[in-house]
Amino acid sequence: MILVTAFEPFGNSSLNPSQLVLQALEKNLKYSRTHKFLLLPVDYQTGPEVLLKALRSEKFQACISFGQAGGRSKISLERVAINWKEKDFNLDQSIKPGPLVINEPEAFINNEDLLALKLKLLEHNLPAEISLSAGAYVCNAVYYFAMKEKIKSLFVHLPFLPEQNQSGQPSLSFQQQRLAAEILIENFN
Ligand code: PCA
C-alpha cells in the first residue's frame, strides 16, 4: 500500500492544487486497492502529527506527498528536507524560526531515483525539475518527519493552477498536474 498525501488551502488562497489532485486520484477506482489518500492540515504541529499517525497505523511501502509551491513553474521533486521552520505565509506570530526537533539530523537527503521520475514526467511533456529546497514551511516539516520515520518517501511541489489568478505567476493546468501525479504515484513504489 502506498500513502498519498496533500494539503488543505493556506495563506490567501481558497484552494490548493494538491488537494484537488488528491481528490481526483481518490475518485479513480484503479487506485482503490493500492493507494491510500490523506489530506493534511497546514500547521507545523498537526500536519506532521496526522501524517505520522497514518504511517504508524499500518505498513506502507512508500509515502508520496504533494503540496503547492506558488511561483514555481515546474513540478518539483524535492531532494532535501531540513530540520528547520521559518515562519512563512503563516499569520501566527508565535512561530519563531528554529529547528523542528532538537538533537536530530539537520537534514535528510532523499537517495531515491528522482532523476528517473523527472525523465518520466518530461517524456509526457510535463515540466519537471529536481529541487534542492522544499522551503522551511509545513511541506518541508512533513517531509522531514516522513524521512525521519525511515519510510521510502517523496515530496512533490506543484505550481499554482491558472484559476488561482495569481497575476504574473506561472501556473500549470489541472489536467497536467493530475497526469503528473498519476505518473508519480504509479512509479514510486
Ligand atoms: N504548501 C506549503 C504548505 C502547504 C502547501 O501546500 C509549503 O510549501 O510548505
Side-chain angles (χ1 to χ4, degrees), residues 12-176:
N12 61 5
S13 194
S14 58
L15 60 86
N16 188 324
S18 70
Q19 177 180 18
L20 300 187
V21 165
L22 187 92
Q23 285 165 347
L25 297 175
E26 199 170 10
K27 281 199 199 115
N28 189 336
L29 293 180
K30 88 172 166 180
Y31 299 124
S32 60
R33 294 229 212 116
T34 49
H35 295 72
K36 269 208 173 157
F37 300 93
L38 179 68
L39 189 67
L40 303 176
V42 184
D43 181 278
Y44 280 116
Q45 187 69 34
T46 54
E49 270 172 18
V50 173
L51 176 77
L52 291 178
K53 190 166 172 242
L55 287 178
R56 290 167 184 171
S57 69
E58 69 175 86
K59 183 132 184 59
F60 288 101
Q61 234 168 287
C63 171
I64 174 160
S65 303
F66 294 88
Q68 164 187 297
R72 294 197 192 176
S73 58
K74 296 179 180 173
I75 292 156
S76 303
L77 309 177
E78 300 293 351
R79 181 67 86 187
V80 183
I82 58 173
N83 185 3
W84 195 258
K85 62 180 164 209
E86 190 83 38
K87 183 165 66 84
D88 196 8
F89 305 103
N90 199 325
L91 303 175
D92 179 355
Q93 298 294 326
S94 69
I95 290 171
K96 299 275 181 286
L100 294 167
V101 267
I102 51 166
N103 298 327
E104 292 292 346
E106 291 187 340
F108 292 112
I109 300 180
N110 192 335
N111 211 8
E112 297 295 333
D113 192 354
L114 304 190
L115 180 58
L117 293 172
K118 171 182 152 177
L119 294 176
K120 264 213 164 31
L121 295 176
L122 294 180
E123 267 169 35
H124 288 80
N125 286 322
L126 295 162
E129 65 184 0
I130 293 171
S131 158
L132 298 178
S133 174
Y137 193 39
V138 181
C139 290
N140 170 74
V142 155
Y143 198 20
Y144 183 86
F145 283 104
M147 287 215 265
K148 186 167 171 295
E149 204 69 6
K150 301 207 182 328
I151 176 150
K152 173 173 172 150
S153 46
L154 172 61
F155 199 96
V156 182
H157 264 127
L158 301 171
F160 282 131
L161 293 166
E163 47 272 43
Q164 286 178 279
N165 289 322
Q166 302 282 346
S167 62
Q169 300 277 9
S171 64
L172 191 65
S173 75
F174 178 69
Q175 283 70 20
Q176 285 178 294

